[in-house]
Amino acid sequence: MGAPYVLSNPPKVALIGGGFIGPVHAEALRRIGVQVAGLLDITPEKARPQAEKLGIPKVYSTIEEVLADPEIGAVHLASPNNVHYQHAKMALEAGKHVLCEKPLAVSSKESAELAKLAASRPKQAAGVNYNLRFYPLAQEMHTRVARGDLGRILSVAGSYTQDWLLLVDDYNWRVEPDGHTNLRAIADIGTHWMDLAQFITGRHIESVNADLATFHPERNRPIGGAETYTGPNTAKKASEAVKITTEDYGAVMLHLSGGGRGVFYVNQMHGGRKNRLYLEVCGTEGSMVWDSESPELLWLGRRGAPNQLMNRDPSILSAEAGHFSHYPGGHAEGFPDAFKQLDLAFYTYISNGCQGVPNFPTFAEGHREVQICEAIAQSAKARNWVNVEA
Ligand code: SOE
């Protein structure tokens, strides 16, 4: 049960961004014995309390200072999307391993350059944090499709819904256009759904037809901004009305390689859904359904035989999926554990000298996600089908 924890001489890590997701990275790394040696945020004054809270000994002032630090072997980019490209490029050129939060970049020009740079440096690991792949039952779905349990893939469908942006007073840097695709819900959570759908089915998204909607044409931005998931402006900080053009909602039809079809929607104003990825895949031999808000259960559908509800239990998981599960059945593994398993895959790959095929999302896959986002933005504007650049 479970990948070995012991990593031989893992690199020390610098974390870029101590906001909502940065601490999740720090905690996951600590659980696998990888030291987070330093933190960079917008200012040292902002970083210092975060570093103290997370037990990170050093605070940096600039990315240059991070990359000049000889004790740092890897960086985790948990900064806003519009600086991922610059930081990832500088870190790779400085010889560091890089794990970048999704999306990899805000344009396919940037992500293509990063994918090419990463490919030119085979002794440096370069990954994108599509953490949902690392729930054990997501791995189980991937394994079952790959070994033919579903037969030919016919369709994949589902949604990714949240309600942290439901209110007009809910605000976050994500609602501001990035100057490229200007996508928000699709780029933020839709890419999770699309990455997982492609990982599980083994099929690529080849063309898209999208419809987007902005339900709050204005939001009240607290002066000084607001972190992710911090809820409405409960402190009643002074705010200003801001026009919003990025989408709260998006629905996308898909054509998959191999002739399959797909459809999904995202909505960040779905009251009551906190952070729910829902995915159902069907093939000629049956279907499977997984819900990230009930991550320990996998529904298996059959024609001519009883349907089953499978608990995550390493004793009945495939060997491949069991590699990503460390706790017996009934001892729930969830969001933080998926981060731990992704980091374990990433740092095991590094400990093995970056040999063989990475078993974590690569920059090439992160680039493809950005290309799909660009096709979605183009499709929504033109109100027709758009092929994803090959
Ligand atoms: C906000 O939608 C967010 O923090 C995403 O950016 C993360 O990728 C997701 O895991 C949780 O929600």
Side-chain angles (χ1 to χ4, degrees):
M1 175 170 66
Y5 274 63
V6 180
L7 294 165
S8 59
N9 188 31
K12 289 184 181 176
V13 172
L15 176 62
I16 320 297
F20 166 69
I21 214 74
V24 183
H25 284 259
E27 180 191 71
L29 288 166
R30 181 165 293 128
R31 290 176 71 187
I32 62 171
V34 175
Q35 186 189 348
V36 182
L39 174 67
L40 172 71
D41 207 297
I42 300 172
T43 64
E45 292 69 33
K46 187 167 188 294
R48 208 156 283 119
Q50 296 158 325
E52 281 161 21
K53 191 169 75 172
L54 294 166
I56 298 173
K58 217 182 297 185
V59 163
Y60 298 104
S61 300
T62 63
I63 186 73
E64 290 81 2
E65 190 188 348
V66 173
L67 301 179
D69 186 342
E71 73 162 346
I72 297 299
V75 298
H76 281 226
L77 304 182
S79 40
N81 302 347
N82 61 356
V83 292
H84 287 179
Y85 164 73
Q86 178 203 358
H87 288 172
K89 183 172 188 293
M90 291 171 71
L92 283 174
E93 288 170 345
K96 314 296 184 184
H97 305 289
V98 180
L99 186 60
C100 182
E101 265 295 341
K102 35 51 65 185
L104 176 59
V106 293
S107 76
S108 61
K109 180 176 178 295
E110 289 182 347
S111 56
E113 191 183 325
L114 289 175
K116 192 172 171 207
L117 181 58
S120 72
R121 292 167 173 265
K123 290 305 172 195
Q124 289 170 246
V128 185
N129 198 60
Y130 285 111
N131 55 295
L132 280 139
R133 292 189 189 189
F134 291 84
Y135 283 87
L137 289 178
Q139 292 284 337
E140 182 71 10
M141 294 173 84
H142 167 80
T143 301
R144 286 173 176 246
V145 170
R147 73 186 184 200
D149 287 21
L150 290 197
R152 176 164 59 89
I153 294 300
L154 303 174
S155 70
V156 60
S159 60
Y160 197 145
T161 48
Q162 302 171 325
D163 67 5
W164 69 289
L165 289 172
L166 176 57
L167 308 178
V168 71
D169 285 335
D170 291 325
Y171 200 85
N172 178 256
W173 56 264
R174 287 179 178 76
V175 305
E176 295 165 6
D178 63 16
H180 294 274
T181 61
N182 296 320
L183 295 175
R184 180 236 307 173
I186 291 283
D188 182 23
I189 55 178
T191 51
H192 271 307
W193 193 93
M194 295 189 289
D195 173 75
L196 191 63
Q198 293 174 107
F199 173 66
I200 286 171
T201 62
R203 306 294 188 278
H204 289 305
I205 294 171
E206 290 186 331
S207 58
V208 296
N209 196 333
D211 174 42
L212 309 179
T214 301
F215 297 137
H216 279 313
E218 272 195 359
R219 288 181 180 266
N220 298 323
R221 175 171 60 193
I223 306 297
E227 262 307 336
T228 313
Y229 272 101
T230 48
N233 182 3
T234 44
K236 293 290 173 232
K237 284 196 287 187
S239 64
E240 55 190 343
V242 176
K243 291 224 176 303
I244 302 298
T245 55
T246 58
E247 79 286 1
D248 297 300
Y249 167 94
V252 187
M253 292 190 290
L254 309 169
H255 284 184
L256 304 178
S257 56
R261 295 289 192 267
V263 61
F264 76 97
Y265 72 91
V266 295
N267 188 347
Q268 295 186 304
M269 292 178 60
H270 192 120
R273 293 298 185 195
K274 302 309 170 188
N275 188 37
R276 181 190 192 235
L277 181 145
Y278 185 79
L279 189 148
E280 46 188 347
V281 55
C282 78
T284 50
E285 301 304 317
S287 67
M288 295 186 283
V289 181
W290 185 71
D291 175 343
S292 70
E293 288 190 346
S294 305
E296 295 276 277
L297 295 173
L298 177 62
W299 185 87
L300 304 170
R302 287 291 174 275
R303 161 83 180 263
N307 297 332
Q308 296 174 305
L309 192 56
M310 176 183 181
N311 288 80
R312 182 214 42 94
D313 177 343
S315 67
I316 56 173
L317 284 176
S318 62
E320 298 85 343
H323 181 80
F324 297 99
S325 179
H326 280 163
Y327 289 77
H331 300 66
E333 291 182 312
F335 185 77
D337 301 285
F339 272 74
K340 182 190 84 172
Q341 293 294 347
L342 192 159
D343 288 347
L344 202 48
F346 188 73
Y347 287 95
T348 302
Y349 178 76
I350 292 169
S351 296
N352 295 337
C354 297
Q355 307 286 346
V357 179
N359 65 342
F360 52 83
T362 62
F363 273 25
E365 292 169 294
H367 168 50
R368 181 139 185 85
E369 287 295 305
V370 178
Q371 289 180 302
I372 299 169
C373 283
E374 287 183 346
I376 287 172
Q378 190 186 333
S379 164
K381 205 167 172 183
R383 296 164 66 93
N384 66 6
W385 284 93
V386 172
N387 293 332
V388 180
E389 201 180 322

